[in-house]
Amino acid sequence: MDMKTDNWSGTATHPVGLIIRQKDPNNLEMPFDQLGDFITPSELFYIRSHFPTPELDPLAYRLSISGAVRNELSLSYADIRAMPSRTCVATLECAGNSRVFMVPPVPGAQWQLGAVGNAEWTGVPLPVLLESAGLADEVCDLVLEGADRGVPKEEPKPPGPISYARSIPRTKAMESDVLIAYQMNGQDLTPDHGYPLRAIVPGHYGMASVKWLTDIVAATQPFQGYWQTSDYGYWDDSEGTPVRRPLAEMKLKSQIARPRVYETLEPNRSYTIFGAAWAGDTDVTEIWISLDGGASWVQGDFVDPINRHAWRRWKYDWITPAQPGGYTLLARAVGADQRGQPDAHNPNFGSYVIDHPLPIEVFVAAV
């Protein structure tokens, strides 16, 4: 096999055009008003990192599968590349996407609309590897651990450096489109996107798709790691008692890409409102747009057919108002289960899961 090592670099490069939300580590978002094709170009795909990008030599790299298995595995990059592959399209969204819309403001990276993207991923289905390892009957979680390591900035802080790790339920891990991926949009992963290998967990928020993956551990008890409980968790109700649960499936959501926030438009002109909608555990079947801050709604048209776990772009042809002034546009998606987006943010999710219709304020100029 011709080993490809072109992407091995100790320093990640920053794609031109991404908006810096945090530095050290890199947290960059796509200018969402540049939404165009169904597939997000790799150079515009958002970057979410918890620690500095690790240096991984693909020639020395190993992926370990251990824990409650009959056969522990240690696989090289070449081993993975030699296995039969699968390609799927999946939307990944950071659980904190759109945090800037929260009132009052909350801590964390101030993502606007662009911590989301839709890409084509290629790799080995995780179930194939797990079947080779032979899971014990009592396994309930698969813990995915990356090579990135450090001390989290958020409280409560652990007593020392830890690796980034998340788990997914066994039932999810055994789905055929959960991948151990080595390519994004037909090219080897870049360092910022997890080279040489990363997990892709379609339908779940992006933090489940662990980058720089080095270890998969089969666990017989629910994983209680930092990013499973202290962070990326939410409050649920269990018979009247608040309980902490890990975030998992992406919620139904739609976003307006154009016009962009605070854009000035010409009056009484034809304008195509354009955006995208997605969901984790249902299909997006309807899109509704409000041109008056939610007082009334009109139905838009989809550009893309339903493709499970991938977003659907949509449009609405609008004649801008003749009257100058400010206008608030909203978009609301409906899923195949007939459920729509909520009217407001659920505080039980803290600074995550901002899934209510987001107000896009625009101005119509005077003639």
Side-chain angles (χ1 to χ4, degrees):
M1 176 181 174
D2 181 17
M3 287 294 294
K4 297 181 179 180
T5 59
D6 294 345
N7 284 328
W8 178 40
S9 171
T11 303
T13 57
H14 297 167
V16 176
L18 291 179
I19 301 167
I20 298 174
R21 293 304 180 198
Q22 284 183 343
K23 295 188 68 173
D24 189 29
N26 299 329
N27 287 287
L28 314 174
E29 79 169 85
M30 168 190 174
F32 198 66
D33 64 339
Q34 294 187 29
L35 174 68
D37 293 339
F38 176 64
I39 297 295
T40 305
S42 300
E43 62 271 17
L44 283 180
F45 203 98
Y46 80 97
I47 295 168
R48 174 65 174 112
S49 301
H50 297 85
F51 303 120
T53 302
E55 298 181 25
L56 295 175
D57 179 353
L59 298 178
Y61 172 86
R62 290 293 183 274
L63 174 64
S64 169
I65 302 179
S66 61
V69 297
R70 289 187 290 274
N71 307 302
E72 291 196 357
L73 302 179
S74 178
L75 302 169
S76 70
Y77 183 58
D79 291 335
I80 296 291
R81 293 292 298 245
M83 293 180 181
S85 66
R86 179 182 174 91
T87 297
C88 70
V89 177
T91 296
L92 299 186
E93 182 189 20
C94 176
N97 189 33
S98 311
R99 187 176 284 135
V100 74
F101 288 89
M102 294 191 66
V103 179
V106 295
Q110 296 301 297
W111 304 110
Q112 193 186 73
L113 297 169
V116 63
N118 191 56
E120 182 183 81
W121 310 95
T122 300
V124 177
L126 178 56
V128 172
L129 300 179
L130 298 180
E131 288 166 5
S132 295
L135 296 181
D137 292 342
E138 60 269 28
V139 169
C140 63
D141 274 6
L142 280 302
V143 182
L144 310 175
E145 185 172 317
D148 48 334
R149 186 173 177 83
V151 177
K153 295 181 179 180
E154 298 82 7
E155 297 290 347
K157 294 181 180 180
I162 58 173
S163 297
Y164 180 78
R166 282 278 302 187
S167 76
I168 56 175
R170 178 176 182 157
T171 52
K172 183 65 179 180
M174 295 307 294
E175 293 182 3
S176 61
D177 56 356
V178 176
L179 302 179
I180 304 305
Y182 47 79
Q183 285 192 333
M184 174 185 186
N185 295 339
Q187 300 293 324
D188 289 356
L189 295 168
T190 65
D192 271 325
H193 288 298
Y195 182 80
L197 295 178
R198 70 174 298 169
I200 293 296
V201 185
H204 280 214
Y205 282 110
M207 72 277 177
S209 295
V210 176
K211 298 190 291 185
W212 312 296
L213 187 67
T214 56
D215 291 275
I216 301 173
V217 181
T220 58
Q221 297 293 328
F223 181 56
Q224 298 294 319
Y226 179 87
W227 282 281
Q228 202 80 10
T229 54
S230 294
D231 202 0
Y232 294 134
Y234 70 99
W235 290 107
D236 195 11
D237 181 272
S238 177
E239 298 180 352
T241 300
V243 293
R244 193 75 170 161
R245 301 196 192 280
L247 295 175
E249 291 84 4
M250 293 188 297
K251 300 296 185 181
L252 179 71
K253 186 172 180 178
S254 58
Q255 291 186 171
I256 295 172
R258 292 186 291 278
R260 63 182 180 273
V261 179
Y262 302 136
E263 184 171 349
T264 297
L265 308 174
E266 294 296 318
N268 202 32
R269 298 286 180 88
S270 176
Y271 188 101
T272 299
I273 301 172
F274 188 65
W278 55 91
D281 57 1
T282 188
D283 293 323
V284 180
T285 56
E286 297 177 25
I287 184 68
W288 295 83
I289 296 92
S290 175
L291 311 170
D292 51 16
S296 63
W297 296 83
V298 291
Q299 192 163 12
D301 298 311
F302 286 107
V303 177
D304 305 305
I306 291 174
N307 186 337
R308 194 64 186 272
H309 296 141
W311 66 21
R312 297 186 75 184
R313 294 168 301 157
W314 54 262
K315 66 183 182 70
Y316 177 77
D317 295 325
W318 181 38
I319 300 298
T320 59
Q323 181 69 29
Y327 293 84
T328 300
L329 309 183
L330 302 166
R332 168 173 274 155
V334 176
D337 55 7
Q338 296 303 305
R339 295 183 180 180
Q341 294 176 242
D343 292 329
H345 175 68
N346 183 343
N348 287 344
F349 289 112
S351 65
Y352 296 118
V353 189
I354 300 94
D355 61 339
H356 60 287
L358 303 173
I360 304 300
E361 298 178 20
V362 298
F363 299 96
V364 172
V367 177

